[in-house]
Amino acid sequence: MFGSKLAAVAIAAASVFTSVAAADLDPIVIKGSKFFYKTNGTQFFIKGVAYQQDIDKGGATSATTEINDPLTDTAGCKRDIPFLQKLQTNTIRVYSIDSTKSHDECMSALADAGIYVIADLSSPATSINRDDPQWNDELYARYSGVVDMMAKYTNTLGFFAGNEVSNNASNIDAMPFVKGAVRDMKAYIKQKKYRDIGVGYAANDDSTIHVDLENFLNCGDAASSIDFFGYNIYSWCGKSSFSMSHDDVRTKELATYNIPAFFAEYGCNTEEAETGGHRDFAETAALFGKDMSGVWSGGIVFEYFQATNNFGLVSLSGDAVKTNGDFNALSTAIAKVSPSGVNSASYTPTNTAARKCPDWSVATALPPTPNKELCSCMVKNLTCTAKSTVNSKAFGTLFSAACDPKNGDNICAGIGANGTTGKYGAYSMCAANEQLSWAFNALYEQQSSSNSANTDACDFSGNATTQSASAPSGCSALVNQAGPAGTGVVTSQPSGTGAGAAASSSSGVAVPVSIPAIDLKVLSLSVYVTVAALAGAGMILL
């Protein structure tokens, strides 16, 4: 019996492999500011639909931190593909990937239908928080895990390393952390020898920052710049036009951009009374027509599933799909467009220069690449460390006490991160407990040097303990590069694999928890910690 079961498993596995291999789509590649099919060089225009339940525009999700990945729902995926085909969909955007589950069947079915996927790397529980931005080990594991899961499919078009992370002038200091994520995921794709897959960013349409943001993401070293730019834009409302919606202004702004740009979300629904009680998607004709198709590579309509926000194209009743007026209007509008493209062989980009970095209150210096080995070495090299039993709810108070400026400006410089000044501690990407160990040890050493008789210097209300510092093989170089204050530059890069790390579940998820900002004159401090799923967490932004 065991032998027959093993044979059955082998046959099933072989059939899955065969179906996926047979469904391989021609990969989409980037040349200049355009997308192309790799093999025949035909220009590729995105005719997309946002495809994930419980998502509001801009990527906001409901209070749950559990990942609702539609690409793991094979039955739902196969149910919806015929409706996506009626809309001539060639791309879907998925905001949150569960990298612990198989995507083979759905990705194969999508490939059979000629549909590509743009996947966001974040999740509801694990993302760059615009109010307390960090780029750390946990986020690196989450993002690289999604890359590992999706890179094997030739119909993976690209990844978003951020979605509306900075959405107004008050939180633009988060952008260096986004760019750090872009840099490291591009390097990770190369390190793993995956095929070339673009890493981009999706921005909101905020008039006070969007031009500077476009320039910032495109300026400087190409290795840390985005490969494509997505615009979440809802300016064409009701009876509007190319000029009334200011799409003409946006098109002019990006006419010399040296990477592809497209609408990562579009489809305003605030003036439906003007268009028969539903969206008419009149902007589709402009987006794929002569006014815009020379600059824009198409767009993604928000969204497939109906929700309380009333953006849905279809409603579900059990397993039954019911289309609505929006669906019919989009089907009609998209059927009328036929964008005029170029072939890659005859296309020579003229807009090859990167943008100049903007003159705004954001540093061009980026945070260090997360490196778990460095963090582990740091803790082993300390004499006073935080206990593993420290309650995460106490972290804010403990950090505030240890890093109080009265203790000295540099006590916590090694763990601080500041996107405005561009000053980042070498250990700013470590886990919260590791960072707390660094802070405890720095204060412990200060107190011990001033009062050697103080036997309680490493107690911190019972939250710390002493250990024999050690320097395991391979650690000395890393710790020496970081320096005694933790403010040096570590050049060694992590060798870790994502492999689905940091995936969320309903039983316990990694949730960003704010540590009160600490004025160290050169930095502010915030950390991500792993805690149990929060009840009533409200709207969490991807």
Side-chain angles (χ1 to χ4, degrees):
M1 182 177 292
F2 176 79
S4 62
K5 286 185 177 180
L6 185 61
V9 170
I11 292 170
S15 66
V16 169
F17 175 82
T18 301
S19 65
V20 173
D24 281 354
L25 271 183
D26 194 17
I28 302 302
V29 297
I30 295 171
K31 182 178 180 181
S33 60
K34 304 182 187 302
F35 292 113
F36 296 94
Y37 289 98
K38 182 178 181 179
T39 301
N40 64 20
T42 301
Q43 187 174 347
F44 181 84
F45 290 92
I46 294 172
K47 296 179 180 178
V49 174
Y51 184 71
Q52 190 150 13
Q53 294 192 71
D54 303 322
I55 296 291
D56 202 350
K57 68 176 185 176
T61 188
S62 58
T64 180
T65 53
E66 185 173 2
I67 296 175
N68 184 16
D69 183 351
L71 303 184
T72 63
D73 177 8
T74 301
C77 184
K78 292 181 177 179
R79 174 201 63 209
D80 295 329
I81 286 175
F83 293 93
L84 293 169
Q85 288 177 307
K86 290 180 181 179
L87 299 173
Q88 298 188 23
T89 303
N90 64 14
T91 306
I92 58 173
R93 178 181 178 184
V94 178
Y95 293 82
S96 188
I97 296 291
D98 186 342
S99 55
T100 67
K101 298 178 181 178
S102 175
H103 296 67
D104 289 350
E105 290 193 57
C106 184
M107 290 298 289
S108 178
L110 289 167
D112 285 335
I115 297 175
Y116 294 83
V117 174
I118 298 177
D120 287 61
L121 295 174
S122 61
S123 76
T126 314
S127 62
I128 298 174
N129 185 331
R130 65 169 67 103
D131 297 318
D132 277 311
Q134 290 285 297
W135 175 235
N136 56 26
D137 285 339
E138 179 191 2
L139 290 168
Y140 185 97
R142 160 67 198 177
Y143 286 28
S144 60
V146 174
V147 171
D148 285 338
M149 173 57 67
M150 301 300 293
K152 61 186 174 182
Y153 306 114
T154 60
N155 56 327
T156 295
L157 192 156
F159 302 106
F160 280 130
N163 181 67
E164 298 192 10
V165 177
S166 293
N167 61 358
N168 60 57
S170 71
N171 49 45
I172 54 175
D173 61 318
M175 291 315 296
F177 300 91
V178 172
K179 206 165 179 180
V182 171
R183 172 201 63 202
D184 292 340
M185 289 304 99
K186 290 175 67 168
Y188 183 77
I189 289 169
K190 289 184 178 181
Q191 173 195 326
K192 297 287 286 186
K193 294 182 171 56
Y194 295 137
R195 65 179 174 86
D196 289 340
I197 308 174
V199 180
Y201 178 80
N204 72 318
D205 184 26
D206 183 274
S207 61
T208 63
I209 67 169
H210 75 263
V211 173
D212 284 338
L213 190 146
E214 292 162 10
N215 294 341
F216 179 77
L217 290 168
N218 185 246
C219 75
D221 184 7
S224 60
S225 298
I226 56 173
D227 296 314
F228 54 79
F229 180 74
Y231 216 148
N232 298 339
I233 186 165
Y234 294 86
S235 60
W236 191 306
C237 300
K239 294 293 186 182
S240 188
S241 68
F242 180 52
S243 57
M244 289 173 61
S245 65
H246 302 295
D247 282 353
D248 58 338
V249 178
R250 304 292 175 265
T251 301
K252 184 176 181 180
E253 288 169 354
L254 291 171
T256 59
Y257 221 37
N258 67 348
I259 58 173
F262 57 92
F263 285 5
E265 292 177 7
Y266 77 96
C268 174
N269 69 351
T270 61
E271 304 294 338
E272 291 185 342
E274 296 181 6
T275 55
H278 55 75
R279 294 180 287 175
D280 67 357
F281 297 102
E283 67 265 53
T284 303
L287 180 59
F288 293 94
K290 61 180 179 61
D291 288 330
M292 301 178 69
S293 63
V295 173
W296 302 90
S297 293
I300 300 171
V301 169
F302 191 82
E303 61 177 327
Y304 184 76
F305 296 101
Q306 182 65 289
T308 55
N309 58 22
N310 200 38
F311 277 93
L313 301 171
V314 308
S315 299
L316 295 181
S317 178
D319 290 329
V321 177
K322 182 180 180 180
T323 61
N324 59 24
D326 283 13
F327 181 98
N328 297 332
L330 178 59
S331 178
T332 299
I334 204 74
K336 294 178 180 178
V337 303
S338 181
S340 177
V342 298
N343 190 278
S344 62
S346 58
Y347 168 62
T348 301
T350 56
N351 46 334
T352 57
R355 292 291 176 90
K356 180 181 177 182
C357 290
D359 182 16
W360 63 345
S361 57
V362 173
T364 55
L366 306 181
T369 298
N371 189 328
K372 295 189 75 171
E373 183 182 3
L374 170 64
C375 297
S376 176
C377 286
M378 176 267 285
V379 174
K380 291 174 182 176
N381 200 50
L382 304 178
T383 303
C384 180
T385 63
K387 291 181 178 179
S388 60
T389 56
V390 175
N391 190 321
S392 61
K393 294 181 180 179
F395 278 13
T397 301
L398 294 172
F399 272 114
S400 294
C403 299
D404 192 308
K406 69 182 181 182
N407 296 326
D409 289 344
N410 294 321
I411 285 289
C412 292
I415 57 176
N418 191 311
T420 300
T421 64
K423 295 185 178 181
Y424 310 97
Y427 305 118
S428 61
M429 43 67 191
C430 296
N433 194 274
E434 294 169 328
Q435 289 187 347
L436 190 59
S437 291
W438 172 268
F440 280 169
N441 189 75
L443 191 55
Y444 165 75
E445 290 184 342
Q446 182 187 83
Q447 293 175 347
S448 297
S449 64
S450 61
N451 181 9
S452 58
N454 183 4
T455 59
D456 295 326
C458 183
D459 182 73
F460 298 99
S461 301
N463 290 292
T465 185
T466 57
Q467 67 174 16
S468 297
S470 63
S473 176
C475 279
S476 296
L478 291 171
V479 173
N480 288 340
Q481 287 177 7
T487 55
V489 177
V490 178
T491 57
S492 300
Q493 297 301 306
S495 59
T497 58
S504 302
S505 69
S506 58
S507 59
V509 294
V511 182
V513 175
S514 301
I515 298 303
I518 302 170
D519 183 8
L520 299 178
K521 296 182 180 179
V522 296
L523 61 128
S524 62
L525 174 68
S526 60
V527 295
Y528 279 76
V529 295
T530 301
V531 298
L534 294 176
M539 300 300 287
I540 299 174
L541 297 179
L542 297 179

